[in-house]
Amino acid sequence: MRRFLLSFCSLMLIFSFSLSAQPDVNFKSVKDKLPLDPNVKMGKLSNGMTYYIQKNETPKNHAKFRLVIHTGSVMEDDDQKGLAHFCEHMAFNGTKNFPKNKLVDFLESTGIRFGADLNASTGTDVTMYELPIPMDNEELLKNSFQVLEDWAHNVNYDGQQIDDERGVIMSEWRQRNDWRFRLSYNHGFKIYKDSKYAERVIIGDTNIIQNCPHDALRRFYRDWYRPDLMAIIAVGDFDVNKIEGMIKNHFGRIKMIDNPRERPVIEVPYHKETLTSIHKDKEIPVDIGLIYFKKPHKKEETIADYRQGLIEGLYDLMFSSRLGEISQRKNPPFINASGSYSSLRGDKDAYTISVVADGGKGLAGIDSVLKEAYRVKQHGFVETEFTRAKEQLMSIVDRFYNDRNTKESASIVNELTQYFLGSNNHPGIEYEYGLISKLLPDLKLAEVNSLAKTYLTKDNAVVTLTTPDAEEIKVPSEKELLAVFNAASNRKLDPWVDRVANKPLFAKELTPGTITKEEKNDKLGTITYTLSNGAKVLVKETDFEDDQILFRATSPGGTSVCRDEMYLSASNATSIVGLSGVGDFDQVTLQKALAAKNVSLSPYINELTEGFNGFSTKKDLEVFMQLVHLYFTSPRLDYEAFDSYMDKNKGILKNSAMLPENAFGDTIEVTINCYHPRHQPITIEKLDEVDPDDAFDFYTDRFSDASDFTFIFVGSVELDKIKEFSKKYLATLPAKNRNEKWKNIGVKQPDGKIEKDIYKGEEDKSHVRMMLSGDFDWSQRNRYLLNTLVDVINIRLTEDIREKKGGVYSPGCWANMSKYPESDFRINIDFVCEPTRVDELVADVHKILEDLKENTDNIRVEKAQKAQLEQIKLNKRRNNYWLNNLGYYISNNEDINKIPNWKKLAESVKPEEILTAAKEYLTKGNIVKIVLHPEKS
């Protein structure tokens, strides 16, 4: 249950409530063990290796394989700090059957993308290798199993390859070395006091990375990459028995080593006193407080454990909801805050409260969240909160259950990984749905309220505060931080008042409009309805998800039609209205009214268009349509919500200049837009220009005419319902028939060669952005050619400046193409590197670009096209792919019948055409280079 909450509630999604057709789950006692999902075939080889196999048909003809090793940085010896992660890198630098770079080269030649598909990760306790495979290529399947086996016991660890990889890992260290890393690193010494976790940072000791003997790496691999610590997880559209046979054949021949080292559970020692930790950082714009109440780790193995997990989940929902409500008040004590119970590390769990506050106000923020925590301890939650939380929690599971037959394989792989590591149960959604349906109604509010007494303790607690290192901010002492923590338990507090609106969401009496025209498109499987007010409704019915309806609405205009002096208000209009609620409901009461509904709707206004994004289920579609109608006809302006919004943004902006990346991003923005007044950095002074009434007036104007809107629905729609609700809620929207268009506000891309250097930050790293731009002859074919050229550049960047030069970790290249207001393009190249190597690596990039203009690159073009075809196969059965494409083509006044042509282009375009594209787009002469250097350089 906890994993459902972490996946969905943290994203602020709201789901539907349904108890229909639930599976019947019977158990004799709450002491009964939770079963493993019967759809999973689990086994253990004679060498101790575990395997999990599950057939799953989403996506079709595709499978995801994962090799999991229960080892990570916490298993390193003192001379190996960072080598668990180094070992992960070496798996891609040569194995017995794929020497040197042949492994990546082979997989890329089949359409598997390095980084995006082919990947790996290292944690403190686990290392994982990912391999997604199309199942229509028997030879690829065989070779992929050989890759997986090689990773498990046949990595070469060639000395030269080790030395070459040191630079790549140092580049990764530079790229990741920011305030987030320093926050975690510095507070870790107190959070994991006297534990090995306090000494083992995943990226490791840079001295060891640069200078360790080769055998230190080989020793880690020999000690910990062994079958009794491994699992192979296979989920996909395949024959289970066939995959089991391949697993036994490949992994059964791995021999168990003699006298293996014990793999201990690392303890995080108990401490009677409350520990505190303060870290100040010159690159953090806000205060961040984290309060850990450490508890012994507990596994969810029985029905009783699962029941307790439900109680804890309800507590998390209600407490975080209270904090969210407080954050929306005028002059809120924090920007945002939450609380949750989860596993920590080793033998400990933790109830953790987090708070983000204005710079210098972290102490007050911590005091405020502790005040609410102790309010719960003194008075508990109230019955209305409890009822709402149960409905919301059940709605999360309801959504999972309704979509159980179209669940993505990647999600199942993640769950089985946690099951192998002992972090979660895995009885299957059918069992969980029935179990929760049976357990939830009998849970008592008193059981939830009793948790505060066990959560909020002074022993085994750690309070941390990270704050900006700025002259104007007084950094509190650890003694002051401890005093705030201790004082929180001594206050007498009033009970919480749960504010709800006891009225219907939609009380309007509407006379439905009509559908004046209906057009079917058999090629795309869409239907377009023209409504009596002129609006269009485009519907694509799919079976990709059993209960998912995605939505987008679009209309021309956007902020381009506003006066310059109103721009800041106009650009904030949807945020202000979105935080104000709708109809008779402010945002707080609206969220509570929708807590058991599976709907989400957000208005937007960008430069050229306005509209909505959202989603629903079949059951809650009418409520969703009511919301659309209300956001058109009954938006609200809540001045308190506006003040809260402004206070939060000012708090973030106050110290935002401390972040080097902000200066970097601001410089990019103003440069590529030729210092246009609408593309200037936002400051507190500029924010003061936002007028709530002007913002509201602009919003109401943009949504006062539905006649030029196109409403797009993609997913498990029921056409009769779409028609009924479109006539009732969309055809009755106001129509002025303004026949509007966006305006060209005169934003230009820069001409010629521009170079800028920024000196900000203390870390020994530079961030490089190169941008090539020019006019663009807009067509689907030209967009394809430019995107493919970008894919080839990405491959070359990885090969040349990452692997050969060891100069960067994750270079990136992408293209921006616009049809309106003027057709143009921009190619972006981005990487982080050692400051002394900027000129060298920039020169290498130019060499790559020059080479692409002179030589046809057949091999890499073919790699790019195979990857594109593989992605098209996957994407064409995803609702968001169709929603995004339909919205994109409609906004650009392009024929939607061209959407499927991308596959034909990937199959037909020749490498010579990419050479022609390179000559076209890489010779425009407009190039911007912006480099962020550390101040000391």
Side-chain angles (χ1 to χ4, degrees):
M1 186 68 253
R2 193 173 294 120
R3 69 176 179 270
F4 293 145
L5 294 175
L6 291 174
S7 297
F8 284 83
C9 295
S10 61
L11 296 176
M12 301 178 71
L13 302 181
I14 305 170
F15 296 98
S16 63
F17 179 66
S18 170
L19 292 176
S20 61
Q22 65 216 41
D24 189 27
V25 172
N26 296 307
F27 52 89
K28 295 179 180 178
S29 166
V30 292
K31 295 181 180 179
D32 287 357
K33 292 274 189 181
L34 291 165
L36 177 64
D37 185 345
N39 295 309
V40 177
K41 189 166 192 176
M42 175 187 172
K44 183 165 281 195
L45 304 177
S46 58
N47 58 16
M49 187 172 190
T50 307
Y51 63 83
Y52 305 90
I53 311 170
Q54 182 171 340
K55 183 175 177 60
N56 187 62
E57 296 182 354
T58 305
K60 290 184 180 296
N61 298 316
H62 205 269
K64 191 173 184 71
F65 298 92
R66 178 179 287 173
L67 176 67
V68 184
I69 304 100
H70 197 184
T71 190
S73 61
V74 79
M75 293 294 110
E76 296 163 344
D77 295 331
D78 288 342
D79 66 337
Q80 295 176 319
K81 294 178 182 178
L83 299 195
H85 174 243
F86 205 142
C87 282
E88 172 223 306
H89 274 243
M90 291 307 300
F92 298 92
N93 283 278
T95 68
K96 177 182 176 181
N97 293 284
F98 300 92
K100 295 187 178 181
N101 62 349
K102 296 298 182 184
L103 187 150
V104 173
D105 188 56
F106 157 68
L107 290 171
E108 283 188 334
S109 71
T110 67
I112 297 171
R113 300 167 299 170
F114 180 55
D117 303 316
L118 173 67
N119 214 330
S121 63
T122 304
T124 54
D125 291 277
V126 64
T127 304
M128 299 183 290
Y129 296 89
E130 310 279 349
L131 197 52
I133 296 295
M135 296 304 295
D136 53 3
N137 186 330
E138 188 67 26
E139 190 65 25
L140 173 59
L141 179 62
K142 291 178 182 178
N143 281 299
S144 296
F145 262 92
Q146 189 60 64
V147 170
L148 291 162
E149 182 196 337
D150 275 13
W151 281 338
H153 75 134
N154 281 330
V155 177
N156 283 340
Y157 289 94
D158 172 77
Q160 185 60 53
Q161 292 291 320
I162 291 172
D163 292 338
D164 290 345
E165 195 66 19
R166 296 183 198 268
V168 176
I169 297 175
M170 288 301 298
S171 295
E172 182 177 359
W173 168 76
R174 285 189 185 89
Q175 185 168 315
R176 298 188 188 280
N177 191 7
D178 58 12
W179 66 264
R180 298 170 188 82
F181 169 79
R182 294 189 292 272
L183 180 156
S184 175
Y185 176 77
N186 285 283
H187 292 320
F189 292 104
K190 292 290 183 70
I191 299 168
Y192 307 109
K193 186 174 183 290
D194 298 327
S195 164
K196 200 174 179 182
Y197 287 108
E199 306 167 5
R200 293 294 183 268
V201 181
I202 294 167
I203 200 71
D205 184 323
T206 56
N207 183 56
I208 290 175
I209 293 167
Q210 291 175 301
N211 301 297
C212 69
H214 301 159
D215 197 57
L217 273 163
R218 297 169 184 145
R219 186 175 79 245
F220 186 90
Y221 188 71
R222 287 195 304 266
D223 285 344
W224 303 115
Y225 277 61
R226 59 184 207 236
D228 62 311
L229 298 179
M230 290 182 178
I232 183 71
I233 300 171
V235 181
D237 190 7
F238 48 52
D239 180 282
V240 169
N241 292 329
K242 175 183 176 180
I243 297 299
E244 183 180 35
M246 298 181 77
I247 287 173
K248 289 179 177 179
N249 178 50
H250 281 274
F251 296 99
R253 58 196 182 203
I254 301 175
K255 294 180 180 178
M256 183 59 188
I257 64 173
D258 296 330
N259 302 314
R261 292 178 65 175
E262 179 186 359
R263 203 278 186 209
V265 174
I266 306 299
E267 292 184 357
V268 179
Y270 170 86
H271 49 90
K272 184 174 179 60
E273 74 279 18
T274 299
L275 302 177
T276 55
S277 176
I278 293 178
H279 169 64
K280 57 182 182 178
D281 199 294
K282 289 188 175 181
E283 297 181 5
I284 189 172
V286 293
D287 278 15
I288 299 175
L290 290 165
I291 309 163
Y292 300 86
F293 299 92
K294 292 184 280 189
K295 311 296 175 186
H297 178 63
K298 54 187 179 184
K299 294 183 178 181
E300 283 190 353
E301 296 181 333
T302 66
I303 303 292
D305 297 334
Y306 195 93
R307 185 180 187 278
Q308 184 63 23
L310 291 176
I311 294 170
E312 292 164 359
L314 291 168
Y315 188 104
D316 291 351
L317 277 174
M318 290 187 282
F319 184 62
S320 293
S321 177
R322 283 190 181 185
L323 296 178
E325 183 171 337
I326 292 169
S327 74
Q328 296 177 56
R329 297 174 183 170
K330 185 177 181 179
N331 298 317
F334 44 76
I335 296 170
N336 57 58
S338 63
S340 65
Y341 188 98
S342 61
S343 59
L344 189 61
R345 282 179 182 170
D347 64 341
K348 291 293 185 293
D349 293 340
Y351 178 67
T352 306
I353 300 175
S354 64
V355 58
V356 178
D358 294 354
K361 296 183 180 180
L363 215 56
I366 290 173
D367 182 61
S368 180
V369 293
L370 285 171
K371 176 182 176 181
E372 297 311 317
Y374 279 100
R375 192 190 306 276
V376 175
K377 188 172 183 178
Q378 290 177 25
H379 301 289
F381 297 103
V382 299
E383 197 66 43
T384 50
E385 291 177 291
F386 183 56
T387 299
R388 190 167 59 246
K390 285 199 294 184
E391 291 178 344
Q392 187 175 354
L393 187 149
M394 189 64 222
S395 72
I396 297 169
V397 189
D398 187 58
R399 171 63 188 276
F400 273 101
Y401 181 71
N402 289 342
D403 280 333
R404 65 194 181 279
N405 295 320
T406 50
K407 188 174 185 177
E408 291 259 354
S409 295
S411 178
I412 299 171
V413 168
N414 289 335
E415 292 173 14
L416 287 169
T417 299
Q418 295 307 312
Y419 181 79
F420 168 66
L421 298 172
S423 301
N424 263 326
N425 57 75
H426 187 71
I429 186 58
E430 291 89 349
Y431 185 93
E432 289 194 69
Y433 189 86
L435 185 61
I436 293 171
S437 300
K438 183 165 288 190
L439 294 174
L440 194 60
D442 294 330
L443 299 183
K444 307 300 181 188
L445 178 58
E447 295 179 279
V448 180
N449 288 337
S450 68
L451 288 177
K453 294 180 175 62
T454 63
Y455 283 172
L456 306 180
T457 57
K458 293 185 178 180
D459 62 324
N460 228 20
V462 183
V463 189
T464 74
L465 174 63
T466 305
T467 188
D469 185 3
E471 288 184 9
E472 66 274 16
I473 291 178
K474 182 183 180 298
V475 180
S477 66
E478 290 192 15
K479 183 177 179 180
E480 290 173 304
L481 183 58
L482 182 62
V484 167
F485 178 80
N486 287 332
S489 60
N490 299 324
R491 284 178 292 209
K492 294 295 182 182
L493 301 165
D494 294 330
W496 178 267
V497 177
D498 187 31
R499 186 165 61 88
V500 295
N502 294 312
K503 58 182 75 172
L505 176 67
F506 195 92
K508 296 182 180 182
E509 293 292 333
L510 299 175
T511 301
T514 60
I515 294 174
T516 61
K517 188 178 182 181
E518 181 176 323
E519 301 169 275
K520 289 187 177 181
N521 185 322
D522 294 330
K523 179 179 179 180
L524 293 182
T526 62
I527 299 178
T528 301
Y529 304 111
T530 301
L531 306 181
S532 51
N533 60 357
K536 294 183 183 296
V537 178
L538 190 154
V539 185
K540 181 173 175 62
E541 184 180 9
T542 74
D543 59 359
F544 311 151
E545 298 276 350
D546 289 331
D547 197 14
Q548 181 191 70
I549 301 171
L550 301 184
F551 170 78
R552 181 168 299 164
T554 183
S555 165
T559 57
S560 72
V561 301
C562 80
R563 304 186 310 275
D564 284 344
E565 60 270 24
M566 261 193 71
Y567 172 70
L568 286 171
S569 298
S571 61
N572 284 277
T574 51
S575 295
I576 294 165
V577 171
L579 290 169
S580 296
V582 67
D584 294 329
F585 293 74
D586 62 21
Q587 183 68 0
V588 170
T589 54
L590 179 63
Q591 288 174 342
K592 292 176 180 179
L594 297 173
K597 301 296 181 184
N598 183 6
V599 295
S600 174
L601 184 67
S602 301
Y604 72 85
I605 303 176
N606 59 33
E607 188 172 298
L608 302 180
T609 62
E610 63 270 341
F612 293 92
N613 291 302
F615 65 84
S616 177
T617 58
K618 290 179 282 190
K619 177 179 180 294
D620 290 316
L621 182 60
E622 183 167 16
V623 173
F624 179 83
M625 292 289 223
Q626 290 171 349
L627 280 173
V628 175
H629 189 98
L630 290 169
Y631 270 110
F632 266 95
T633 62
S634 303
R636 285 171 50 95
L637 175 56
D638 186 323
Y639 289 101
E640 184 175 352
F642 169 76
D643 289 338
S644 176
Y645 171 72
M646 297 297 286
D647 288 340
K648 290 178 186 177
N649 278 283
K650 288 179 179 179
I652 293 170
L653 285 172
K654 184 171 65 175
N655 298 296
S656 63
M658 298 173 66
L659 277 170
E661 292 297 330
N662 280 3
F664 185 61
D666 288 345
T667 304
I668 292 171
E669 178 71 10
V670 298
T671 303
I672 63 174
N673 291 292
C674 294
Y675 291 86
H676 191 279
R678 295 194 182 191
H679 288 272
Q680 297 296 309
I682 296 297
T683 62
I684 290 177
E685 292 72 27
K686 285 185 176 293
L687 209 58
D688 283 334
E689 297 177 24
V690 177
D691 181 277
D693 295 301
D694 284 347
F696 186 72
D697 289 345
F698 186 74
Y699 175 93
T700 54
D701 175 72
R702 288 296 81 217
F703 294 94
S704 64
D705 182 7
S707 64
D708 59 359
F709 270 80
T710 299
F711 300 93
I712 308 168
F713 295 87
V714 177
S716 52
V717 298
E718 297 170 311
L719 291 178
D720 57 337
K721 293 294 185 183
I722 288 285
K723 292 174 71 173
E724 176 190 349
F725 297 148
S726 293
K727 288 186 287 186
K728 184 173 182 179
Y729 298 110
L730 302 183
T732 52
L733 292 173
K736 298 180 180 179
N737 298 305
R738 294 188 296 195
N739 193 27
E740 276 196 320
K741 191 185 177 187
W742 47 263
K743 295 180 180 178
N744 189 339
I745 60 173
V747 178
K748 301 288 186 181
Q749 295 210 72
D751 293 328
K753 184 178 180 180
I754 298 173
E755 295 187 0
K756 293 186 178 182
D757 295 284
I758 308 160
Y759 295 87
K760 198 168 187 63
E762 298 185 338
E763 294 304 326
D764 186 36
K765 63 180 178 181
S766 291
H767 193 164
V768 180
R769 177 74 60 84
M770 301 168 65
M771 293 163 283
L772 296 82
S773 63
D775 297 332
F776 186 68
D777 184 9
W778 183 270
S779 72
Q780 187 185 49
R781 188 176 190 84
N782 285 342
R783 295 200 306 276
Y784 173 79
L785 292 172
L786 181 51
N787 276 313
T788 304
L789 174 62
V790 162
D791 289 345
V792 173
I793 294 172
N794 267 313
I795 295 171
R796 287 291 304 272
L797 291 173
T798 299
E799 291 175 350
D800 294 2
I801 69 171
R802 173 187 157 121
E803 295 302 326
K804 290 180 182 177
K805 286 294 189 80
V808 302
Y809 170 60
S810 58
C813 180
W814 66 97
N816 302 107
M817 291 164 275
S818 299
K819 183 178 183 181
Y820 301 125
E822 296 179 358
S823 188
D824 54 31
F825 79 93
R826 185 169 68 249
I827 297 173
N828 309 272
I829 298 172
D830 187 275
F831 58 87
V832 174
C833 67
E834 185 179 351
T836 59
R837 299 189 69 183
V838 169
D839 291 343
E840 169 202 351
L841 296 172
V842 167
D844 288 337
V845 171
H846 281 297
K847 287 178 184 176
I848 292 171
L849 301 182
E850 287 300 315
D851 186 52
L852 288 172
K853 290 189 292 184
E854 301 298 328
N855 300 295
T856 303
D857 196 338
N858 296 54
I859 294 175
R860 294 177 186 87
V861 171
E862 288 172 7
K863 283 183 178 181
Q865 290 179 309
K866 285 183 179 178
Q868 292 164 0
L869 287 167
E870 199 55 44
Q871 287 306 301
I872 290 168
K873 279 198 296 184
L874 295 173
N875 287 336
K876 70 180 183 180
R877 290 195 56 79
R878 287 176 173 151
N879 290 327
N880 59 357
Y881 170 81
W882 285 102
L883 182 77
N884 292 336
N885 271 282
L886 288 167
Y888 181 82
Y889 278 67
I890 288 169
S891 295
N892 284 295
N893 292 313
E894 194 162 356
D895 183 3
I896 61 174
N897 288 296
K898 293 181 179 179
I899 293 174
N901 292 352
W902 204 265
K903 181 175 182 291
K904 295 178 183 177
L905 288 167
E907 291 172 332
S908 63
V909 167
K910 304 300 181 186
E912 293 80 10
E913 294 178 82
I914 306 303
L915 174 63
T916 302
K919 291 178 178 179
E920 168 72 14
Y921 301 118
L922 302 181
T923 57
K924 293 288 187 180
N926 301 328
I927 181 165
V928 174
K929 184 190 77 173
I930 298 175
V931 184
L932 172 66
H933 306 275
E935 290 176 19
K936 63 184 178 182
S937 65

